[in-house]
Amino acid sequence: MMNGLRLKQVREFLGLTQSELALKLDASQSTVAYLEGGYLQPSEELLRTICECTGFPQEFFEQTEVTEFPLGSLLYRSRNAIDASERARVNRYGQFMFEVAEKLASKLKYPQFKLPKGGLDAVMAARIIRSNLGYTPDSPIDDLIYDLEKNGVFIFKSPVLFPKTEAFAVWAGHENKKPVIVLTGDTPADRTRWTVAHELGHLDLHSTLFGDIQAFEREADIFASELLLPEETMSRLIVEPFNLMRAARIRSEWKVSIQALIRRAHDLQLIPDSTYKSLFVQISQQKKKLQELSEADTPERPRYLRGMAEKRYGGKRINYQQFSKDTKFPIAVLKQFIEAQASQEEYTRKKPQGKILDFPSEKNYSTDVREN
Amino acid sequence: MHDIPSEDEAFQKLGPLKGLWYESLYSAILDTNKHFKDNCDHRSDIPPLFSWHVRSKFQTLLEPHTNAYNFAIVPVLGGSFLVTHGFFACKFRKAFNGKLPPPTNKTQLRYYNANSGLSIWPTLPGWEQLRTFPSGGTVNLLVYYDLNPQHELAWVKIACPRFATLTEIECFWDKDIDNPLFSGSGGFEVKHSTEEREDIPFEELPFEEDDDNPLTGLAE
């Protein structure tokens, strides 16, 4: 029996409207609507066509239990910034990656979320998180994604990039207790760090969906500023005469964009309006060159999903057949998900030693022995 | 035999020091502008006052970096200073009409002409490592800068003077220092730790098998 909700999720994941899917299936839009609503069950032939067109196996559509995955901070995006179909697609990417991670997590022991949560103002919350991550106010955060993953935050990089939505955060899973950040934008490293810090701010401060959305965004920005550029240290580093080169020097240590640093200096009233304006004029004059400088930095990538898949399915050479069988996701989709995440070498900074030989995995080997 | 490094060789030997000079001059000029704006705006147009202030601030900015960049600041008569690094001696001046400023006294004239006995020798392929210059003494360089109409740093150049009179200067070479912010060699790249670190610690949970042990009585 097909679960109509699954069809809707897959359609949104593929970025199709009901009419577009209907056209592919050689059916009417209302048929698709009825199927999705659960008012109609497809014939065997139609189900086969659905599987062929979407690439998802029949077992996927037959799952009755579906993981809850709220919109989270996607709700804070204004309608002008992102349309409903893109919002749904972004959310489905996050949902499917989380679903795969949840299935893997059920067989693995993984770091539990242990950062203190909310209840304070943005600045205090950021200071507490910073301290819990093991950083003093005078030390820059080396790799925020690494630190958060080690502390049990699920971070995924979407294989498909959505320029209008850089990232979103959500509490998901059983009783919405797992913090998830999904990176969906193609942004330079400094921007990505800022985005992750901003989304962490939403996770930490905004568990309620009701309130002033603009105020939520402002609070998340204040949280990110204090997390990445603590006031205590910035007021020592940023002194007049403050110039673009000095900003670039601080940026290279603190790994944020020059713009973010200048805005922070202004917000903390460490530079006057005139310097603030003059610096932004200089930035606009040197925009291209500064952009190149920013793009020269390698963005941090999460590893959670890939790490779990490698642990569960045979190390660096993942057994995708088994992975697909267990998770009910198509191999192509799983490969897309995994390849968007950081490899072990990239993540641990360890250089690969020698050539990787293609030995059968331990499980396959023991099966063979039993059969013989 | 004395000889002179080519501009590329000299730039390579000066390494990150060039970026430090550029950055310090940039900051010294901004500071000077602020100083004149805060105190006596009209005097910023008086060239000697402006360049004296820049030089003084520039020296202050260089001083903390002598060990890290391996150079020395040598005071000279008239409140000025030289920077020595390896076999280079460097004097800092503000451009005159957008060009290398001519010497204004006998001491400067001697400095400009000190390289006149040296010459550029071609390096034969395969001999690069064996080549040393100069075989004795120092190579005198001139680092000079100019301002744009807004009194901000416009450029910085290094020249290696061959011969000079009070009105005329001839150089072995004369080359711009790239703005270190954009040249990729100024140390403005984001500094990530390169230390190896642990992967996320995932562990397989114990495999839960069906209990088919007859002793437990749960097999049937």
Side-chain angles (χ1 to χ4, degrees), chain A residues 109 143 146 249 303 347, chain B residues 23 30 197-199 203:
Chain A
K109 207 171 144 192
D143 187 334
Y146 180 84
R249 188 63 76 202
R303 172 153 170 81
Y347 201 70
Chain B
E23 191 179 344
L30 283 178
R197 54 192 191 182
E198 290 306 309
D199 201 353
E203 280 173 44

Side-chain angles (χ1 to χ4, degrees), chain B residues 64-147:
Chain B
H65 302 288
T66 50
N67 286 337
Y69 288 80
N70 191 25
F71 66 91
I73 296 174
V74 184
V76 294
L77 287 174
S80 186
F81 67 94
L82 287 176
V83 163
T84 60
H85 172 73
F87 48 78
F88 292 115
C90 308
K91 201 164 171 49
F92 298 85
R93 299 201 65 192
K94 185 179 173 298
F96 179 71
N97 287 338
K99 289 182 179 166
L100 186 62
T104 52
N105 56 46
K106 280 186 181 173
T107 316
Q108 282 187 7
L109 195 62
R110 264 203 304 280
Y111 183 88
Y112 276 59
N113 281 312
N115 298 336
S116 58
L118 314 179
S119 56
I120 289 192
W121 283 76
T123 307
L124 295 172
W127 290 79
E128 295 87 350
Q129 298 303 316
L130 296 173
R131 187 176 162 184
T132 54
F133 31 66
S135 48
T138 55
V139 172
N140 285 2
L141 301 178
L142 287 157
V143 182
Y144 65 113
Y145 65 91
D146 207 357
L147 308 178

Side-chain angles (χ1 to χ4, degrees), chain A residues 11 23 31 46 60 64 68 77 87 131 172 180 187 229 283 301 324:
Chain A
R11 176 178 62 75
L23 204 65
T31 306
L46 182 57
F60 182 87
T64 46
E68 267 292 297
R77 306 290 190 285
R87 190 195 305 252
S131 158
V180 183
T187 49
L229 304 166
I283 287 172
R301 283 204 298 170
S324 169

